[in-house]
Amino acid sequence: MTELNRHEAVIQDGILYIDREQDPLEVGSMDDVVDLFGGETYRIEYTDRQSATAWLSTDDENGIDIDVRDSLEDWAYPEELVTNVADSPLEETDEDGYPMRTSVFVDMVTAIWDAKGNLEG
């Protein structure tokens, strides 16, 4: 597999999985994922300059609300993210009682969303 590979996600019986060639990677329950995102929608804020971009359709407060469930299923995940999530144990929990793998996944996705997709900063 190369770094350019992207992986689809699927929600099945309330569990989020990332599709991989060898076997699906269980990320965790969608209830936990939604809780970690802070709810069914996630808000990204833009500056006035950023929101002036022609292709970006922000609301009156320069933000976009993302539907967490739909976006997670629609997005294709980069190999690096999938590898980092797979390396995190599903059986161990974080300080809030969520599975480490689920928590790492949400942290990585929110970092990407908050960076507006620009991981170089």
Side-chain angles (χ1 to χ4, degrees), residues 26 43 83:
E26 182 178 341
R43 185 156 180 86
T83 299

Side-chain angles (χ1 to χ4, degrees), residues 17-102:
Y17 297 91
I18 297 176
D19 193 25
R20 300 184 297 179
E21 287 180 15
Q22 61 274 48
D23 62 311
L25 173 65
E26 182 178 341
V27 174
S29 79
M30 278 307 297
D31 289 340
D32 287 348
V33 170
V34 168
D35 284 348
L36 286 163
F37 272 104
E40 294 286 338
T41 59
Y42 188 80
R43 185 156 180 86
I44 300 175
E45 299 286 337
Y46 291 88
T47 65
D48 288 339
R49 183 174 181 188
Q50 290 170 326
S51 66
T53 305
W55 57 266
L56 187 60
S57 182
T58 59
D59 59 22
D60 292 340
E61 296 161 355
N62 292 337
I64 294 176
D65 292 319
I66 297 172
D67 181 291
V68 170
R69 291 175 193 269
D70 288 345
S71 295
L72 294 180
E73 271 194 303
D74 290 343
W75 201 34
Y77 298 89
E79 185 69 29
E80 181 180 1
L81 182 145
V82 174
T83 299
N84 286 332
V85 171
D87 288 344
S88 301
L90 189 60
E91 304 79 25
E92 293 179 27
T93 57
D94 65 12
E95 61 274 0
D96 295 320
Y98 294 103
M100 286 299 296
R101 181 178 295 163
T102 309

